[in-house]
Amino acid sequence: MQHQRVLVLDFGGQYNQLIARRVRDLNVYCDLRPCSMPLEEIRQYAPIGIIFTGGPNSVYDAGSPHIDPAIFSLGIPVLGICYGCQLIAYTLGGRVVHSAKSEYGKRELTFVRRSPVSEDIPEKSICWMSHTDHVETLPAGFEALACTESCPAAVYGDEARRIYGVQFHPEVVHTAYGERLIKNFLYGICGAKGDWTMRNFVAEQVTRLRAKIGGQKVLCAMSGGVDSAVAATLVHRAVGENLTCVFVDHGLLRKGEADEVMEVFQKKLGMRLIRADAGERFLAALAGVAEPEQKRKIIGAEFIKVFEREAKAIGAVDFLVQGTIYPDVIESGTGKSAVIKSHHNVGGLPSVVDFREIVEPLRDLFKDEVRRVGTELGLPDSVVQRQPFPGPGLAIRIMGEVTREKLETLREADAVFREEVAAAGLAGSIWQYFAVITNSKTVGVQGDFRTYENVIALRAVTSVDAMTADWARIPYDVLEKVSNRIANEVPHANRIVYDITGKPPATIEWE
Ligand code: XMP
């Protein structure tokens, strides 16, 4: 069965993935594609609606992305957001002007004319603006539907052709009725039926995987992370015993995590799961290495070697499962940025496995959808709501050389921090929270004795996508409890500090 689909054309704005996620959250499938997508492909894609995203340009800039005007003759409803809104007006003969001052932040929006796009939105509400140019004169056939103080056509539309523009950002939470506006466009204008649900997704994927794999053999590398766990569980639901999972335990996971992987997937779900205990091997390979990128490289290479050994023992398989998700697949409309850290993932695995084809059952899903699929499949919150955790694990939270003793200290301190954040009910509102063992020792006094032990740093950040982050305002009494407990319960730690740096200028991890 083919879902109804919406096409989100990416003009390079910072909220583009957010727009796509909002549409999906409203139970309508959508794809984010570069704004250069040829008209013929758009026609073949057969969307029920098209959304133009925002972007950093002005329609008058040399080289700014434009659009083939024929897109407006396809008979498909269009919603333009910010740059997308200016582009519609400009392309169809309206006038966009450059304001002397940029408008940024919350503004009062007033609807001056009712429309299907404003269904159930009050006459006055708050919207969130971020622009310099705005539409001054509308093309023929269009009418202003809402305005703000400085923007005469903050929402405009041509009801007959079902083409709309909004100058503000309906996708951000600061726009009070933003989600409602997107819903109105999808359901009231594009005729969406809401056929994109995680329950449907699971049912369809299971059928599809069964048909594709049948009785053939499948291999999957499990890391303990959400994506590989959900991908494996989905494939297991479809083909059961024909799936073999290999869990490379590099000994750098958090306290209790490796055992939990075995408990959930082997004992509870009954998966064929092989645990490769490679902690000693990783420690040996990391001995004497302090440089973060060097550590990452060693861990990535060892991981592949261990997996290769296990895969060889299993022999040839037909399929290899990968937990690729939609953000990894999207070809963004914008350029590539500088590499700050080399993230290791399982991308190198195909070269060491004897297989015919790769299976990526999650490649259409955003992270929050992956979590919902996990829940739908009966995975516990401890797996599904797991905070992001780097592939190199605790090795990049141990400054300097990784040693057994430092690992032990860090694991315990981290467990205390996690327990207390959870107990305070803060886990859901913090993106990542963890302990770091700094490579410095300080003098302390415990009992009547002088100590000379490690400084533990606590790091907790809020973020939406890990690209930027703010340090989390954890209440002092929670921090106090964590500090007392670490000082009392964790060996070789005598000082606890809290990291109050955002990203930028810092990164989330310390290495
Ligand atoms: P940074 O530290 O760059 O982290 O602000 C951004 C996000 O990426 C995670 N991270 C990694 N993930 N391998 C990974 O798989 C890595 O080497 C790595 N380094 C950082 C980090 O935990 C955060 O979520």
Side-chain angles (χ1 to χ4, degrees):
M1 187 196 96
Q2 180 62 61
H3 305 284
Q4 289 185 319
R5 303 192 289 186
V6 162
L7 189 58
V8 181
L9 290 182
D10 182 357
F11 287 89
Q14 55 179 325
Y15 302 119
N16 299 349
Q17 288 201 25
L18 197 53
I19 296 174
R21 280 169 49 196
R22 292 282 179 261
V23 173
R24 300 262 194 110
D25 281 349
L26 289 161
N27 300 118
V28 180
Y29 184 79
C30 70
D31 275 309
L32 187 62
R33 293 286 173 83
C35 56
S36 56
M37 186 173 180
L39 193 68
E40 194 39 45
E41 276 178 36
I42 295 175
R43 204 194 308 268
Q44 278 168 17
Y45 182 95
I48 60 166
I50 300 172
I51 297 178
F52 296 172
T53 74
N57 299 86
S58 159
V59 290
Y60 297 113
D61 287 347
S64 63
H66 285 181
I67 195 92
D68 183 341
I71 196 169
F72 301 110
S73 308
L74 295 173
I76 302 168
V78 177
L79 174 68
I81 295 173
C82 198
Y83 179 79
C85 152
Q86 296 157 13
L87 185 66
I88 295 174
Y90 169 83
T91 309
L92 293 175
R95 199 164 75 92
V96 174
V97 296
H98 196 69
S99 317
K101 231 174 87 200
S102 297
E103 190 180 25
Y104 185 84
K106 291 180 180 174
R107 291 289 179 277
E108 187 178 69
L109 177 74
T110 306
F111 274 93
V112 292
R113 184 185 292 271
R114 298 320 287 188
S115 146
V117 91
S118 64
E119 181 87 19
D120 282 339
I121 301 179
E123 186 191 338
K124 286 187 189 295
S125 62
I126 294 298
C127 70
W128 200 82
M129 291 282 194
S130 173
H131 67 113
T132 308
D133 292 2
H134 71 265
V135 177
E136 185 70 21
T137 314
L138 289 167
F142 284 81
E143 282 174 327
L145 303 174
C147 60
T148 64
E149 201 181 322
S150 57
C151 196
V155 181
Y156 66 76
D158 176 338
E159 309 280 6
R161 297 165 75 187
R162 300 183 299 169
I163 301 170
Y164 299 87
V166 295
Q167 180 53 65
F168 54 88
H169 287 273
E171 70 278 18
V172 305
V173 290
H174 314 297
T175 296
Y177 289 86
E179 188 189 48
R180 181 70 223 196
L181 188 137
I182 296 172
K183 186 175 180 184
N184 289 341
F185 176 70
L186 297 173
Y187 286 81
I189 293 157
C190 303
K193 294 195 291 250
D195 57 8
W196 177 248
T197 66
M198 293 306 108
R199 177 159 301 171
N200 289 349
F201 174 84
V202 168
E204 282 161 25
Q205 280 297 320
V206 166
T207 310
R208 192 170 296 174
L209 289 166
R210 236 173 237 159
K212 182 182 182 122
I213 299 170
Q216 305 179 80
K217 282 171 84 182
V218 196
L219 180 64
C220 178
M222 286 248 277
S223 63
V226 182
D227 304 340
S228 62
V230 174
T233 311
L234 192 53
V235 174
H236 180 251
R237 170 79 61 98
V239 303
E241 288 279 287
N242 291 322
L243 169 72
T244 304
C245 292
V246 173
F247 166 41
V248 175
D249 180 4
H250 54 21
L252 303 165
L253 290 178
R254 290 168 294 195
K255 188 178 177 182
E257 261 186 329
D259 290 339
E260 196 197 1
V261 168
M262 298 311 288
E263 175 68 28
V264 171
F265 298 97
Q266 193 180 58
K267 284 225 185 88
K268 291 214 180 100
L269 295 177
M271 275 190 205
R272 192 193 281 268
L273 173 60
I274 298 164
R275 174 177 182 170
D277 261 315
E280 291 302 323
R281 178 182 175 140
F282 277 81
L283 264 185
L286 288 167
V289 179
E291 207 280 314
E293 283 301 284
Q294 188 75 14
K295 289 187 201 173
R296 280 190 170 81
K297 287 206 178 82
I298 290 172
I299 292 166
E302 284 305 303
F303 186 92
I304 290 176
K305 279 190 225 156
V306 175
F307 189 82
E308 180 175 25
R309 192 187 63 201
E310 299 298 327
K312 288 248 157 69
I314 293 167
V317 294
D318 301 289
F319 299 95
L320 178 69
V321 181
Q322 303 232 293
T324 318
I325 69 170
Y326 197 56
D328 309 328
V329 175
I330 294 175
E331 261 180 83
S332 174
T334 50
K336 286 245 181 304
S337 45
V339 174
I340 310 290
K341 299 178 187 183
S342 60
H343 283 200
H344 122 95
N345 55 31
V346 292
L349 288 185
S351 61
V352 299
V353 180
D354 184 2
F355 73 103
R356 255 192 16 244
E357 205 181 320
I358 287 185
V359 184
E360 298 174 312
L362 310 178
R363 60 178 283 128
D364 284 340
L365 304 188
F366 281 110
K367 192 81 180 189
D368 27 358
E369 293 176 311
V370 172
R371 294 190 207 280
R372 279 189 272 139
V373 166
T375 303
E376 190 66 42
L377 290 166
L379 291 175
D381 274 2
S382 54
V383 172
V384 168
Q385 299 303 337
R386 185 181 190 259
Q387 43 170 322
F389 186 69
L394 299 181
I396 55 166
R397 294 178 182 172
I398 293 175
M399 304 303 98
E401 188 188 1
V402 179
T403 63
R404 197 183 309 274
E405 186 186 285
K406 282 178 169 176
L407 249 177
E408 228 8 75
T409 299
L410 176 59
R411 253 198 200 109
E412 295 303 321
D414 185 71
V416 167
F417 190 30
R418 286 195 288 143
E419 271 169 43
E420 293 302 331
V421 167
L426 300 170
S429 55
I430 302 179
W431 173 265
Q432 270 176 291
Y433 51 100
F434 53 86
V436 170
I437 182 162
T438 68
N439 203 17
S440 46
K441 292 194 164 190
T442 61
V443 173
V445 52
Q446 271 165 319
D448 289 329
F449 297 98
R450 173 190 190 271
T451 59
Y452 185 57
E453 294 288 8
N454 293 291
V455 179
I456 297 289
L458 304 175
R459 177 75 162 144
V461 296
T462 53
S463 177
V464 284
D465 54 10
M467 300 294 286
T468 60
D470 193 9
W471 57 278
R473 271 48 170 184
I474 293 185
Y476 285 166
D477 52 346
V478 177
L479 290 174
E480 181 184 22
K481 204 157 172 205
V482 175
S483 163
N484 284 340
R485 280 194 58 196
I486 292 176
N488 283 302
E489 297 171 25
V490 179
H492 308 300
N494 71 354
R495 190 177 297 267
I496 295 94
V497 298
Y498 190 56
D499 182 346
I500 52 166
T501 332
K503 172 183 180 176
T507 52
I508 295 176
E509 304 289 347
W510 273 39
E511 285 196 336

